[in-house]
Amino acid sequence: MANLATELFHEIRPDFFRVLTGTNAAIYVDVLDALETEATERNEGMNREEVLAIVSEVLAQHPDFQPDEETPVRISDPLPLREKARLVLDRLVRAGWLKTHTGADWQRTVYFDEHGVTLLTALRKIAYPDAAVFTDKLVGVCA
């Protein structure tokens, strides 16, 4: 039987978890949550402009966002919100959370990776634990 790490990193990129660490982790999680929530309502994916609008909305709630050190862009002036949204989108695509497809009409469609959906479901369960459910045995003991 192969070890967990071998199988895991065969399925996902090693950079996949990196977005969940560092100074922008909370921002990336909020962006991923917003995108995945919207993506569940669409089977055909979202066009890139819609995705950039959603990312921009989340970034507007996080004015402290600064590009990661891995970002190839080095700009000393503050970036416009749309440019920050583009950097976030590109980062999530490079990490494997999102996938893009360019159609015959040159329109780019963005899809949420199925492994990302699985991990976001787990993160939501951690953040919003279910209410305790008591069994008959426990109720009988407490009565």
Side-chain angles (χ1 to χ4, degrees):
M1 181 165 114
N3 62 27
L4 176 62
T6 301
E7 294 300 317
L8 180 64
F9 292 115
H10 175 73
E11 289 293 320
I12 62 171
R13 296 176 190 171
D15 202 26
F16 188 82
F17 293 109
R18 200 166 288 152
V19 298
L20 301 178
T21 63
T23 58
N24 290 322
I27 298 168
Y28 287 131
V29 168
D30 285 348
V31 166
L32 290 166
D33 181 47
L35 289 175
E36 196 273 335
T37 299
E38 185 66 27
T40 58
E41 298 176 12
R42 305 168 188 222
N43 294 332
E44 71 281 355
M46 298 179 283
N47 76 43
R48 188 172 189 272
E49 292 305 313
E50 292 173 311
V51 171
L52 287 172
I54 293 168
V55 174
S56 294
E57 287 176 21
V58 174
L59 288 176
Q61 299 168 12
H62 295 279
D64 54 332
F65 172 79
Q66 292 298 316
D68 291 326
E69 292 182 18
E70 297 99 22
T71 303
V73 178
R74 287 287 155 244
I75 300 175
S76 58
D77 295 332
L79 293 172
L81 188 59
R82 181 167 171 83
E83 182 63 16
K84 288 180 180 181
R86 188 191 63 75
L87 291 173
V88 168
L89 175 58
D90 291 347
R91 175 81 171 96
L92 294 174
V93 169
R94 280 193 321 273
W97 283 87
L98 303 174
K99 298 177 182 181
T100 61
H101 172 72
T102 304
D105 57 359
W106 295 102
Q107 291 291 324
R108 289 204 287 184
T109 306
V110 178
Y111 299 91
F112 214 90
D113 181 76
E114 62 275 2
H115 298 303
V117 173
T118 301
L119 188 54
L120 272 176
T121 300
L123 293 175
R124 286 182 184 122
K125 286 185 182 243
I126 293 169
Y128 309 112
D130 293 334
V133 178
F134 296 104
T135 65
D136 290 336
K137 291 179 183 178
L138 187 58
V139 172
V141 170
C142 293

